[in-house]
Amino acid sequence: MPFFQKYGRKLQKRDLSSKHENSSSQDLISSELVVNLAEIQNIFCDTPDLVMKNFVLKQTTRQVTLVYLSGLTDKNTINNAILRSLLFEAENTDKDLDEKVALGQIKETITWQKIEDAILQGNSVLFMDGRAAAYEFDTQGWPQRGVEDSQIESSLRGAHEGFAETGGTNIALIRRHIPSRELKIKEMTIGERGKIKISIMYLADVANPEVLQELVDRINKLKVDFIINTASLAEYIEDNPYSPFPQLFLTERPDFAASEIFQGRIVVVVDRSPNVLIGPATFETFFKSIDDYSVRWMAASFLRFMRYFGFFAAIFLPATYIAVIAFHFEIIPLKLLLSVGASREKVPFPPFIEAIIMEITLEMLREAGVRLPAKIGQTVGIVGGIVIGQAAVQAGIVSNIMVIVVALTAIASFIIPNYDMGAAIRMLRFPMMIAASLFGFVGLTVGLMTLIAHFVALESLGTPYGSPLAPLRFTDWKDLFIRFPVWSNVKRPESTKAIQRKKAIPRPPEGEENW
């Protein structure tokens, strides 16, 4: 294109990093169209998807150019709302652009940094000859996935919709559940190279402003090139990055995120990620499911007990087996001891090596089932577990009892509704197995005490992670091990530090006049 090459040679390439840090007159756009277009080509060199449409406004000789990235914009919006309006419907060039183009809010900008950011975010920028200002149009339209059911957090009776990879869609899904003017959104942008928009959602009359400010300050302090997803952001802002326990809750369900906002927690929506971040989180938050509030309270309470039992079984069951077989076999009843001895008669390894072999094999099968295509992943997991377990027993590598213990451990770890907590539990059983193999029940006791001490000391956004167990807050026990009827729970959890503790008082059931 000779039109641009003639003026492009006159401009030298500038260091973009220094342009981000300093603001000078060179950062302002020119009133000459050719100079601006040459600068655009300089900024977006080697960018084949950059589109620059040159045309003349109707009934004038004013030249204008519309610049955008073809893969990030909606072509129908550009053609129908912008080009058609400017080429065929604009009668007077002295009118404001928002009167010419019916396309929501139109922003005017004079700096190259804002223009560059706008184009990279999928917006279109219009340059006019003779004006030292550019106009930004909201034309975002990149390829995106629709709203679908969550693949990780499945629900039986809850809403069958999950978050998508677009921040605006995720905000709309949450707002549908909370049609309140008190729902506020703080928008931030982080990332030096890959800028990403972060939206913090909360109820202004419920959420604690100190917790909110702490979260905002932590995000503002981030100096990173890019954030790839919500889990990466959680690692940057959590209180203790060396803890195996997740300290912020990730969810793909809009209904669960909305319910936590009602409780006084804060939700962080990261653009381009199908998860949202919830904080402050406590240990008991990871054992709740949205289905707990879709079934009767007695059934939900039974499921809660099963999850907590699964938590302890997944961590301590293999270690307990090792301790009993290696150190404390005298506590086993005689008949069971004879059965265990017959099962281990041909096994050449000590209990610890036997357990390590089976646990690592189990983890490899689980990971293989996740990475393989869905149609064969489940088959490989089931067939592989049966075939390998049976062959290992027949070969005398492991005992029948060990296969049973490992299977029960796997089932117990999979009952945890949160993936991050389940992964932490599967990892913690290995140090417990090592402690049990060295010191028996004494090692298990030391491991349990260490776990409790870490659990008590841990925090999430300055909130005790063990609440309402450590510190003890009995008023929050109505939704801990037992999920009491919803009409009996009239206060928000103390762990959220909500400024409005009392919920709207529900109507008591018939016959509960003194409730």
Side-chain angles (χ1 to χ4, degrees):
M1 298 177 65
F3 178 77
F4 299 116
Q5 291 176 358
K6 176 180 178 181
Y7 293 92
R9 294 192 186 100
K10 298 180 181 179
L11 296 175
Q12 297 180 349
K13 292 185 178 181
R14 298 180 299 174
D15 184 2
L16 294 181
S17 62
S18 63
K19 186 180 72 171
H20 293 172
E21 299 174 359
N22 302 320
S23 177
S24 63
S25 60
Q26 294 180 354
D27 293 326
L28 303 179
I29 70 174
S30 171
S31 60
E32 298 183 23
L33 179 61
V34 291
V35 175
N36 292 333
L37 297 184
E39 179 67 11
I40 283 290
Q41 284 207 329
N42 185 31
I43 294 174
F44 293 97
C45 61
D46 297 330
T47 308
D49 56 340
L50 181 71
V51 178
M52 294 191 295
K53 289 186 176 293
N54 304 293
F55 54 94
V56 178
L57 290 179
K58 185 181 179 183
Q59 295 183 350
T60 69
T61 58
R62 186 188 293 267
Q63 292 185 349
V64 297
T65 300
L66 186 67
V67 181
Y68 58 90
L69 292 173
S70 60
L72 299 179
T73 53
D74 184 3
K75 306 302 186 299
N76 292 329
T77 301
I78 292 176
N79 293 329
N80 297 330
I82 300 178
L83 296 180
R84 178 177 294 179
S85 299
L86 295 178
L87 288 173
F88 304 109
E89 299 176 5
E91 297 292 342
N92 188 353
T93 59
D94 292 332
K95 290 183 179 180
D96 293 333
L97 277 180
D98 54 0
E99 296 181 14
K100 298 178 183 180
V101 181
L103 191 65
Q105 184 179 7
I106 299 175
K107 299 178 182 178
E108 181 177 342
T109 181
I110 60 173
T111 62
W112 283 112
Q113 183 59 59
K114 291 185 178 180
I115 292 172
E116 179 183 346
D117 293 341
I119 295 175
L120 291 174
Q121 291 170 6
N123 294 329
S124 301
V125 177
L126 183 72
F127 294 93
M128 287 188 178
D129 191 23
R131 289 192 182 181
Y135 302 91
E136 177 184 341
F137 300 96
D138 185 9
T139 57
Q140 297 175 347
W142 48 76
Q144 55 183 306
R145 179 173 60 95
V147 177
E148 302 172 355
D149 196 4
S150 172
Q151 299 297 318
I152 298 178
E153 302 174 64
S154 58
S155 174
L156 297 177
R157 291 187 176 181
H160 293 278
E161 59 183 12
F163 288 120
E165 283 78 9
T166 306
T169 301
N170 297 340
I171 291 173
L173 289 172
I174 295 176
R175 192 177 284 280
R176 281 191 62 203
H177 292 276
I178 311 178
S180 171
R181 66 181 181 182
E182 296 296 334
L183 180 64
K184 307 300 182 182
I185 303 174
K186 284 182 176 291
E187 290 191 347
M188 310 169 65
T189 302
I190 60 174
E192 299 297 323
R193 295 183 179 272
K195 294 186 182 298
I196 189 169
K197 186 169 72 173
I198 293 177
S199 303
I200 302 175
M201 305 183 69
Y202 60 96
L203 286 176
D205 59 340
V206 175
N208 189 295
E210 295 181 0
V211 176
L212 174 64
Q213 190 60 45
E214 176 68 20
L215 178 61
V216 172
D217 291 342
R218 292 187 185 186
I219 296 177
N220 278 329
K221 291 178 182 178
L222 293 181
K223 300 297 181 184
V224 294
D225 278 350
F226 67 97
I227 295 292
I228 191 64
N229 52 33
T230 311
S232 300
L233 177 63
E235 284 194 44
Y236 279 111
I237 64 176
E238 63 186 359
D239 291 66
N240 187 348
Y242 300 104
S243 172
F245 294 113
Q247 295 139 58
L248 294 168
F249 194 93
L250 290 174
T251 182
E252 292 184 353
R253 301 195 58 83
D255 47 359
F256 188 84
S259 68
E260 293 302 306
I261 291 178
F262 279 122
Q263 296 288 358
R265 291 186 170 89
I266 303 168
V267 168
V268 181
V269 179
V270 180
D271 196 19
R272 304 194 292 269
S273 179
N275 302 282
V276 302
L277 202 61
I278 301 175
T282 55
F283 179 76
E284 51 92 17
T285 309
F286 297 90
F287 291 83
K288 294 180 180 179
S289 170
I290 196 64
D291 278 334
D292 293 351
Y293 307 95
S294 303
V295 298
R296 293 184 58 79
W297 68 274
M298 288 181 285
S301 300
F302 174 74
L303 293 176
R304 290 269 180 92
F305 273 111
M306 293 294 294
R307 290 170 193 153
Y308 284 105
F309 176 79
F311 169 77
F312 287 102
I315 294 179
F316 295 106
L317 186 57
T320 302
Y321 171 81
I322 294 172
V324 169
I325 297 300
F327 292 92
H328 312 284
F329 56 86
E330 66 275 3
I331 69 173
I332 306 177
L334 181 59
K335 291 184 179 180
L336 180 58
L337 181 61
L338 293 175
S339 176
V340 172
S343 175
R344 289 189 45 80
E345 183 181 3
K346 297 181 180 180
V347 177
F349 304 112
F352 174 70
I353 300 300
E354 182 186 8
I356 285 291
I357 291 174
M358 290 304 297
E359 290 291 351
I360 292 179
T361 303
L362 174 67
E363 290 300 314
M364 292 173 64
L365 283 172
R366 186 192 65 82
E367 188 67 16
V370 171
R371 303 304 169 192
L372 287 172
K375 294 183 179 180
I376 63 174
Q378 186 176 2
T379 304
V380 169
I382 295 174
V383 174
I386 295 174
V387 171
I388 293 176
Q390 184 65 26
V393 171
Q394 291 180 353
I397 299 176
V398 297
S399 62
N400 288 322
I401 302 296
M402 176 54 70
V403 173
I404 295 173
V405 169
V406 170
L408 290 176
T409 304
I411 295 172
S413 64
F414 293 147
I415 200 174
I416 308 301
N418 182 265
Y419 177 81
D420 294 327
M421 181 59 73
I425 291 171
R426 290 194 298 272
M427 182 178 60
L428 283 173
R429 66 170 174 254
F430 289 99
M432 293 299 173
M433 289 163 56
I434 295 173
S437 68
L438 295 176
F439 307 105
F441 281 161
V442 175
L444 271 181
T445 303
V446 172
L448 178 60
M449 292 175 63
T450 303
L451 200 62
I452 292 175
H454 174 72
F455 173 77
V456 171
L458 202 58
E459 291 186 343
S460 173
L461 295 178
T463 300
Y465 191 72
S467 178
L469 294 173
L472 282 174
R473 291 167 175 167
F474 291 108
T475 57
D476 291 350
W477 280 42
K478 289 186 176 181
D479 197 18
L480 184 59
F481 302 111
I482 297 177
R483 202 274 283 171
F484 277 65
V486 291
W487 47 263
S488 68
N489 196 355
V490 297
K491 289 186 177 181
R492 294 181 173 87
E494 289 187 30
S495 59
T496 63
K497 299 182 179 179
I499 57 178
Q500 189 180 108
R501 284 291 314 281
K502 200 169 186 180
K503 301 178 183 177
I505 301 177
R507 187 175 71 83
E510 244 178 90
E512 298 282 348
E513 292 84 0
N514 296 325
W515 172 78

